[in-house]
């Protein structure tokens, strides 16, 4: 089972990392959340019955853990113990400009996603990860048509927020 977990973690780590970053802005807290998610996946693997795909099962666990993580940290007093450390930029000027612009666009999008309601955030994040409407509906416990309605409204909200930030 540990080898299966290691294989799954290797395969889905980028997905889990993107989910963590959609819930948490602080890079240190993102890493903490990613560790919490990994632990939760490891603990839950023995309960996997095959009712859905492994990816859907893992995404459900990740989103549930992320919601709990955000709720817990929202109740905690703000602390400077987690400082933000920016990563070094590339050396090429053109590359730096393009990289900075792309990073700023991505950060605006992530910030807009973080501001969505929990349900909208979950649906948008899962859609961005390529889950089908059916898979999203299974994870969230809602109808497929409701997924479509919520996703379209959330996309409209995101577009407005990202365009307003320009």
């Amino acid at each position: 089972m540990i080898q299966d977990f290691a294989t799954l973690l290797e395969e889905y780590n980028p997905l889990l990392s993107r989910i963590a970053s959609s819930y948490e802005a602080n890079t240190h807290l993102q890493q903490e959340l990613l560790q919490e998610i990994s632990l939760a996946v490891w603990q839950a693997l023995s309960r996997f019955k095959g009712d859905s795909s492994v990816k859907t099962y893992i995404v459900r666990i990740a989103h549930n853990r992320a919601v709990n993580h955000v709720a817990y940290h929202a109740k905690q007093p703000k602390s400077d113990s987690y400082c933000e450390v920016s990563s070094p930029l590339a050396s090429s000027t053109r590359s730096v400009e393009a990289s900075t612009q792309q990073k700023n666009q991505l950060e605006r999008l992530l910030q807009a996603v973080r501001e969505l309601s929990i349900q909208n955030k979950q649906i948008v994040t899962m859609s961005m990860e390529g889950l089908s409407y059916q898979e999203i509906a299974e994870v969230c416990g809602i109808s497929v048509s409701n997924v479509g309605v919520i996703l379209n409204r959330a996309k409209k909200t995101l577009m407005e927020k990202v365009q307003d930030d320009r």
Side-chain angles (χ1 to χ4, degrees):
M1 185 58 139
I2 292 177
Q3 186 175 7
D4 292 336
F5 171 71
T7 303
L8 284 174
L9 194 58
E10 185 176 324
E11 180 178 352
Y12 292 110
N13 195 49
L15 166 73
L16 298 176
S17 187
R18 288 187 298 269
I19 290 172
S21 68
S22 72
Y23 279 88
E24 194 57 73
N26 182 302
T27 55
H28 298 286
L29 291 175
Q30 284 175 14
Q31 291 303 313
E32 179 180 308
L33 176 55
L34 187 56
Q35 289 175 3
E36 289 177 24
I37 291 170
S38 298
L39 178 61
V41 168
W42 179 70
Q43 291 172 333
L45 276 179
S46 63
R47 295 186 301 270
F48 180 64
K49 297 176 184 170
D51 296 341
S52 63
S53 71
V54 173
K55 180 179 180 180
T56 302
Y57 187 70
I58 289 173
V59 167
R60 180 181 304 137
I61 293 166
H63 279 284
N64 289 339
R65 182 58 61 178
V67 168
N68 291 339
H69 173 88
V70 170
Y72 171 78
H73 283 284
K75 294 176 186 175
Q76 302 304 310
K78 296 291 182 213
S79 169
D80 293 334
S81 62
Y82 288 111
C83 63
E84 286 294 319
V85 179
S86 58
S87 58
L89 297 174
S91 59
S92 165
T93 305
R94 257 188 270 156
S95 172
V96 168
E97 287 178 18
S99 175
T100 302
Q101 184 179 13
Q102 185 177 18
K103 184 177 178 180
N104 288 340
Q105 289 172 338
L106 179 60
E107 189 53 42
R108 280 196 309 271
L109 176 61
L110 282 173
Q111 184 58 40
V113 169
R114 287 183 199 114
E115 293 173 4
L116 293 173
S117 69
I118 295 291
Q119 185 178 43
N120 289 359
K121 186 184 316 184
Q122 287 177 321
I123 291 172
V124 166
T125 304
M126 286 185 267
S127 174
M128 291 168 68
E129 292 301 334
L131 271 70
S132 70
Y133 281 26
Q134 179 63 42
E135 291 171 319
I136 295 170
E138 289 174 18
V139 170
C140 295
I142 59 176
S143 70
V144 174
S145 60
N146 203 6
V147 168
V149 169
I150 292 170
L151 187 57
N152 284 330
R153 288 179 183 164
K155 284 180 181 179
K156 183 179 177 186
T157 301
L158 286 173
M159 290 298 292
E160 291 170 356
K161 285 183 179 187
V162 170
Q163 288 175 352
D164 287 347
D165 288 345
R166 287 184 178 179

